[in-house]
Amino acid sequence: QVQLVQSGAEVKKPGASVKVSCEASGYTFLRYYIHWVRQAPGQGLEWMGEINPTGGATTYAERFQGRLTMTTDTSTGTVYMDLSSLRSEDTAVYYCARVCCGGSYGEFDYWGQGTLVTVSS
Amino acid sequence: EIVLTQSPGTLSLSPGERATLSCRASQSVPSSDLAWYQQKPGQAPRLLIYGASSRAAGIPERFSGSKSGTDFTLTISRLEPEDFAVYYCQQYRSSPRTFGQGTKVEIK
């Protein structure tokens, strides 16, 4: 069965970076784009960006440009999300999600369990 | 950027009642590329509806979606206890992908 398993919770200081992993299994890794979505405490869902596991092409939301990097390790079927220059407003649960049916555009049919990132001095 | 506005913010209903949730797009959403997700506390969102009106695998028939112009509706025909949650709409044809702010369906 399709699974996206994310790394564990992180606590970081302002100005630091965090790297969250998302390990995919149960399907052909290279065929499906992965997106990242975050959710601040008590708030809604915010789209961050996407990566094509084939070739590694990325698209980031404008507000994260310069701070966000997504990469893949095709040997392990893992996608990484690296967010730098952390501030308190980045405290959130970060989710990876798979796009249905190949291609960049589509509904998110499988989600990781979420990773809580807390930014605090 | 396509802005999605959901209403109402909170819906207070009893089990067995019908729930009607609205999602209005600021501009046309091409090809009905809109999805609905359900999220329960402490859980990841779950896909309910895609293509505005198609149920995802394993989703009960009491969930249905429709579109009229730039207005989208999620209907839960008869609320079950497990349906009390927050619901989000999302458009996925235009970048950036955007979500509505959510509608909470709570027990009255």
Side-chain angles (χ1 to χ4, degrees):
Chain A
Q1 71 283 19
V2 174
Q3 280 193 301
L4 299 175
V5 179
Q6 298 183 222
S7 50
E10 303 263 13
V11 179
K12 296 292 181 181
K13 293 193 182 301
S17 297
V18 68
K19 192 168 188 174
V20 179
S21 67
C22 171
E23 184 175 0
S25 61
Y27 70 95
T28 303
F29 177 69
L30 294 178
R31 290 189 184 173
Y32 296 85
Y33 281 66
I34 293 290
H35 291 236
W36 289 86
V37 174
R38 76 178 185 179
Q39 186 171 38
Q43 303 301 309
L45 302 170
E46 178 179 29
W47 182 76
M48 299 180 69
E50 63 174 330
I51 186 165
N52 179 357
T54 301
T58 55
T59 301
Y60 303 138
E62 191 172 334
R63 66 173 294 177
F64 298 107
Q65 293 281 357
R67 289 206 299 143
L68 179 59
T69 304
M70 295 179 188
T71 56
T72 63
D73 181 343
T74 56
S75 67
T76 61
T78 302
V79 177
Y80 298 92
M81 186 280 298
D82 193 320
L83 188 62
S84 63
S85 302
L86 290 169
R87 34 209 187 232
S88 59
E89 310 89 89
D90 294 317
T91 294
V93 176
Y94 289 76
Y95 295 101
C96 59
R98 190 188 83 159
V99 175
C100 171
C101 312
S104 170
Y105 294 93
E107 64 274 14
F108 298 168
D109 59 353
Y110 288 92
W111 295 66
Q113 82 277 19
T115 297
L116 175 62
V117 175
T118 302
V119 182
S120 174
S121 54
Chain B
E1 173 174 329
I2 297 176
V3 176
L4 299 177
T5 303
Q6 291 187 239
S7 61
T10 302
L11 202 48
S12 298
L13 295 168
S14 302
E17 289 193 294
R18 182 185 187 89
T20 303
L21 288 67
S22 175
C23 174
R24 174 166 289 179
S26 61
Q27 55 188 277
S28 176
V29 176
S31 304
S32 295
D33 285 339
L34 185 122
W36 290 92
Y37 301 89
Q38 176 193 67
Q39 187 178 35
K40 296 180 181 179
Q43 295 184 17
R46 175 176 74 143
L47 177 66
L48 296 177
I49 300 287
Y50 64 93
S53 59
S54 298
R55 272 188 304 277
I59 301 304
E61 290 186 3
R62 63 180 181 274
F63 290 92
S64 64
S66 63
K67 173 189 176 183
S68 177
T70 58
D71 291 342
F72 298 84
T73 301
L74 174 70
T75 302
I76 310 171
S77 58
R78 287 179 57 86
L79 283 164
E80 297 288 341
E82 62 268 27
D83 299 336
F84 291 92
V86 179
Y87 294 83
Y88 294 95
C89 58
Q90 179 217 15
Q91 65 81 21
Y92 51 82
R93 176 50 63 178
S94 171
S95 200
R97 317 303 193 272
T98 49
F99 293 88
Q101 80 277 21
T103 290
K104 181 180 181 180
V105 179
E106 65 176 22
I107 300 176
K108 186 174 182 180

